[in-house]
Amino acid sequence: MKKSQLSSSVLLMVLSFLFCVSWATSLSSSSSGDLISCLLSKSKNVTTISQLIFTPVNASFLPIWQVAVQNTRFLKPSTRRPSVIVTPMEETLIQTCVYCAKKHGYEIRIRSGGHDYEGLSYTADVPFVMLDFTNMRSIDVDVAKRTAWVQAGATLGELYYKISRETDTLYFPAGVCPTVGVGGYMGGGGYGNLLRKYGTAADNVLDARFMDVDGNILDRKSMGEDLFWAIRGGGSSSFGIVLAWKLSLVPVPKKVTVFILNKTLEQGATEIFHKYQYVAPNIDRNLHIRTQVFAEYIGNTTKKTIRIMFEGIYQGTTDTLLPLLSRKFPELGVTREICEEIKMVQSTLVFWGLPSSTPTQILTNRSAIAKLNNKSKSDYVRTPIPVSGLRKIWRKLIQNDESTLLMINPFGGRMADFSETAIPYPHRAGVLFQILKTVNFNGQPSDTTPTSLRRIAWLRSLDALMTPYVSNNPREAYSNYNDLDLGVGSANYEEASVWGERYWKRDNFKKLIRIKAKVDPHNFFRRPQSIPVF
């Protein structure tokens, strides 16, 4: 017993010493060695916990951090990295992490594996602990009850694969990107190909396992309906740490129908898209037609055109889909030859740009799918854009160096059934579609080269050009597509409302602030654009 205690003490001292040597010169306001000592001293098994805590002196520190960086524009020397990375395997270490971070003056960033467009879960300008949920990703599907408990570190791809191994007639209405982390995704609302039939992902959350600022573990009943409301779409990491979500699975047919077709300006793309704005949000809820808009050269010429890709998924057969489109949208020109009937899980592959024949197990392979390398902005459209406006947008896209993409998802259907205050996610009745505008930095060593900076400036000018055609008062934006260009001030409501009302609208934002003041009055869980405390 004495020998075991001695060994633990020696290990604790060695790890603390090494960490202090590495970081003593860079941290003046708090002692990182004290943080490590705190984490280790509160563990019953120092050897085990030492394998879950990583500091810059560990050879594996940088690779673990780099894996967490899903947007590669942050993989540059100037990016501020964590002081400590903690990769818990169970909840007691998370409680210890919260306690020690508070005690020694560190902030916490919660990393569940998603895209995180502004890198807020793995970088900060202050000493911080990155709490990485990569080891907590279990998924328990109950087909009979149509539910699933999913730990925060799981990805959507892993969830879809797990459901598909149990049944072909249930799914979860979330996004099409397999690498998005479940933990934060539901916290921002979450949308995907089933939103017109079942609403957002957060609309289909039944319960949660949640840790508050004092380390208490709560469920829906013990946290109360206000906090449960807030974490489903209001940015859950502003209030505490979601450990797991209980999800309601929704029925889907054994086979769904998908199609993909492209239209260029020369093929009438402008007129077809103009009608799309009227049809897609109002057509049968079983049909979702996403579009992607590109500017590209025509063959080997120096002339550019606009190409619009229409990607459809229908909860039914080709035999039912074709008459529907013939009545409502014949201009699109969908034929039987381009339709394919596949399982719902295969549709996730198709919308991610993979053949439907790809083995579905790839959805669980986080390294098999390319990371992002971009800057993005979002908008919501409530009035159809006139042809003259579309032509202005097309001309702007043609000026770009082929680094841009517009991705458009129609709303309507079930989304209009919910009040905008049902959960914090407010973009409901009246929204025709959402637009994601993005530029990539492909071919550039960083996002600060002259070419990259021109691309960012171009994106901002596109954003300005679209002002007359998108929602206003406020100009709405999607919180999961966080955009620091909107502002980060939070000293008072006037400052915070500049970005907060765009994400959540006034009533929801004010309610989120009131709830935050109750559950985290000292604003421990904070980051740029987190719910403030005044």
Side-chain angles (χ1 to χ4, degrees):
M1 183 70 176
K2 290 182 179 180
K3 183 177 180 181
S4 175
Q5 290 175 336
L6 179 60
S7 298
S8 297
S9 299
V10 170
L11 178 59
L12 190 157
M13 287 188 294
V14 168
L15 289 173
S16 299
F17 173 75
L18 288 173
F19 191 86
C20 287
V21 168
S22 173
W23 281 80
T25 58
S26 61
L27 300 175
S28 57
S29 62
S30 59
S31 169
S32 51
D34 288 344
L35 174 66
I36 296 296
S37 296
C38 181
L39 292 169
L40 295 174
S41 66
K42 290 190 168 294
S43 172
K44 294 180 181 178
N45 188 328
V46 176
T47 303
T48 298
I49 198 172
S50 68
Q51 297 169 353
L52 304 174
I53 299 174
F54 304 89
T55 73
V57 301
N58 299 120
S60 50
F61 174 88
L62 186 58
I64 289 173
W65 179 78
Q66 289 173 332
V67 166
V69 178
Q70 284 293 316
N71 194 338
T72 59
R73 72 183 174 102
F74 296 104
L75 289 176
K76 54 187 178 183
S78 60
T79 299
R80 296 290 294 273
R81 299 169 188 167
S83 306
V84 182
I85 299 174
V86 179
T87 58
M89 298 186 71
E90 39 78 33
E91 294 169 349
T92 57
L93 179 53
I94 303 172
Q95 291 170 315
T96 299
C97 188
V98 170
Y99 171 83
C100 293
K102 286 195 299 181
K103 181 178 180 180
H104 295 288
Y106 284 78
E107 293 187 9
I108 281 183
R109 296 292 186 269
I110 302 161
R111 182 71 188 148
S112 65
H115 290 167
D116 189 358
Y117 284 174
E118 295 285 11
L120 301 181
S121 62
Y122 48 80
T123 181
D125 291 330
V126 296
F128 74 102
V129 178
M130 188 178 90
L131 191 58
D132 190 337
F133 275 85
T134 188
N135 291 327
M136 296 183 68
R137 51 209 275 193
S138 70
I139 301 170
D140 182 16
V141 174
D142 189 326
V143 173
K145 294 182 178 179
R146 295 186 175 184
T147 62
W149 270 106
V150 187
Q151 283 190 307
T155 64
L156 293 182
E158 291 165 345
L159 171 62
Y160 297 150
Y161 180 74
K162 178 68 172 179
I163 295 171
S164 71
R165 300 294 291 176
E166 303 287 337
T167 175
D168 289 330
T169 57
L170 294 174
Y171 216 61
F172 185 70
V176 301
C177 301
T179 52
V180 169
V182 166
Y185 174 77
M186 249 64 76
Y191 75 94
N193 286 343
L194 291 173
L195 88 163
R196 300 192 64 255
K197 187 165 187 178
Y198 294 113
T200 70
D203 292 323
N204 294 276
V205 170
L206 300 172
D207 205 340
R209 191 164 173 83
F210 180 84
M211 186 178 295
D212 69 11
V213 70
D214 296 315
N216 302 310
I217 296 177
L218 311 171
D219 60 9
R220 179 175 183 171
K221 183 177 180 180
S222 57
M223 77 174 72
E225 286 301 306
D226 275 356
L227 180 53
F228 185 62
W229 176 88
I231 64 175
R232 292 174 299 146
S236 53
S237 61
S238 289
F239 303 94
I241 302 171
V242 172
L243 305 170
W245 296 101
K246 185 180 182 181
L247 311 178
S248 175
L249 305 184
V250 300
V252 294
K254 286 190 174 182
K255 292 290 182 70
V256 299
T257 303
V258 298
F259 64 84
I260 297 176
L261 61 84
N262 292 275
K263 297 289 184 178
T264 65
L265 295 184
E266 294 72 24
Q267 296 169 321
T270 302
E271 293 73 21
I272 293 171
F273 185 85
H274 184 253
K275 183 169 182 179
Y276 165 87
Q277 298 176 99
Y278 294 88
V279 174
N282 296 298
I283 203 166
D284 189 323
R285 297 182 182 197
N286 287 302
L287 178 60
H288 181 83
I289 306 175
R290 182 178 79 173
T291 57
Q292 297 188 60
V293 184
F294 309 85
E296 59 188 24
Y297 287 99
I298 301 174
N300 295 321
T301 72
T302 58
K303 182 181 178 181
K304 281 186 175 181
T305 189
I306 295 294
R307 174 171 61 89
I308 303 178
M309 179 188 295
F310 294 84
E311 301 171 286
I313 175 169
Y314 178 66
Q315 303 295 306
T317 65
T318 306
D319 288 340
T320 308
L321 170 65
L322 291 178
L324 171 66
L325 287 173
S326 179
R327 292 193 308 272
K328 300 290 186 179
F329 202 6
E331 297 86 351
L332 189 57
V334 175
T335 63
R336 185 175 297 274
E337 288 71 28
I338 67 170
C339 293
E340 183 181 14
E341 294 183 3
I342 55 179
K343 295 179 180 179
M344 189 65 195
V345 69
Q346 292 174 290
S347 75
T348 298
L349 298 172
V350 171
F351 272 72
W352 191 245
L354 299 173
S356 62
S357 58
T358 305
T360 56
Q361 193 168 5
I362 195 175
L363 297 174
T364 68
N365 187 342
R366 300 184 182 204
S367 61
I369 299 172
K371 294 186 176 187
L372 305 174
N373 183 20
N374 61 22
K375 167 69 179 176
S376 299
K377 293 180 172 293
S378 61
D379 265 310
Y380 290 85
V381 173
R382 291 178 173 269
T383 303
I385 302 173
V387 169
S388 59
L390 293 176
R391 287 174 176 157
K392 288 181 181 178
I393 295 169
W394 301 161
R395 286 195 292 270
K396 186 67 176 178
L397 294 177
I398 286 173
Q399 293 171 9
N400 183 267
D401 62 358
E402 295 189 285
S403 65
T404 191
L405 161 71
L406 302 186
M407 185 175 291
I408 299 166
N409 277 276
F411 277 40
R414 181 67 174 147
M415 290 295 285
D417 295 341
F418 289 94
S419 161
E420 65 180 31
T421 60
I423 61 173
Y425 183 94
H427 318 293
R428 302 289 193 168
V431 172
L432 300 179
F433 52 89
Q434 180 198 70
I435 303 179
L436 172 65
K437 303 162 289 183
T438 184
V439 291
N440 66 62
F441 305 109
N442 297 343
Q444 299 300 304
S446 76
D447 62 349
T448 57
T449 66
T451 296
S452 294
L453 293 176
R454 281 196 299 271
R455 290 176 181 177
I456 293 173
W458 179 90
L459 178 64
R460 290 170 178 159
S461 66
L462 172 67
D463 198 54
L465 180 145
M466 294 185 66
T467 301
Y469 310 115
V470 299
S471 61
N472 58 77
N473 297 319
R475 181 173 179 173
E476 299 165 73
Y478 179 37
S479 64
N480 269 355
Y481 294 157
N482 48 26
D483 178 9
L484 297 186
D485 286 356
L486 303 184
V488 296
S490 58
N492 51 56
Y493 188 82
E494 183 178 4
E495 276 190 8
S497 64
V498 172
W499 50 268
E501 290 188 7
R502 291 189 63 170
Y503 289 145
W504 296 291
K505 292 195 173 181
R506 180 180 294 268
D507 288 347
N508 286 357
F509 191 42
K510 286 189 170 182
K511 183 176 179 180
L512 288 168
I513 291 170
R514 292 194 297 270
I515 296 169
K516 169 75 171 182
K518 291 180 181 178
V519 303
D520 185 20
H522 300 295
N523 200 21
F524 173 69
F525 291 109
R526 63 185 182 273
R527 54 175 172 73
Q529 293 186 345
S530 61
I531 304 299
V533 175
F534 303 127

